[in-house]
Amino acid sequence: MAFVVLDGIMWIQSEVLSYALPLWVVLHTDAPRWFVGLAIAVNTVMVVFLQIRTSRGLKGGAVAGRATRRAGLAFLIGMAVIATASGVPGWSPWQS
């Protein structure tokens, strides 16, 4: 049961990229609309080039569990970074 709950939470990340990120960028930031396409393109390129490298050596349940926890932590940190970007000018992500 715990696995199903945790897997459901991790499944949310695909929905964030497809639905939440584009809506959030358009409705809650000053970033240009083309940034949505750029963000999805960068994500796709990163997945293509990094998935084999990051999954190398993942053999067994314990190792896969640690990798999944790291992925969940990275997702949580990424969402926190995105949340802090609200109200930041689109031309300069470092100034309010």
Side-chain angles (χ1 to χ4, degrees), residues 8-93:
I9 293 169
M10 291 299 290
W11 179 75
I12 292 172
Q13 66 184 328
S14 64
E15 302 305 313
V16 166
L17 181 67
S18 300
Y19 303 108
L21 181 66
L23 286 172
W24 183 82
V25 167
V26 170
L27 299 175
H28 297 286
T29 68
D30 292 331
R33 293 179 188 254
W34 55 262
F35 183 76
V36 173
L38 178 67
I40 292 173
V42 167
N43 178 73
T44 302
V45 169
M46 288 176 64
V47 167
V48 168
F49 287 111
L50 297 176
Q51 68 182 341
I52 292 174
R53 184 169 189 247
T54 57
S55 65
R56 190 177 301 139
L58 293 179
K59 295 179 180 157
V63 178
R66 284 192 299 273
T68 302
R69 282 191 297 274
R70 285 192 309 264
L73 181 61
F75 178 64
L76 179 65
I77 291 169
M79 293 300 98
V81 169
I82 288 172
T84 61
S86 183
V88 174
W91 58 271
S92 176

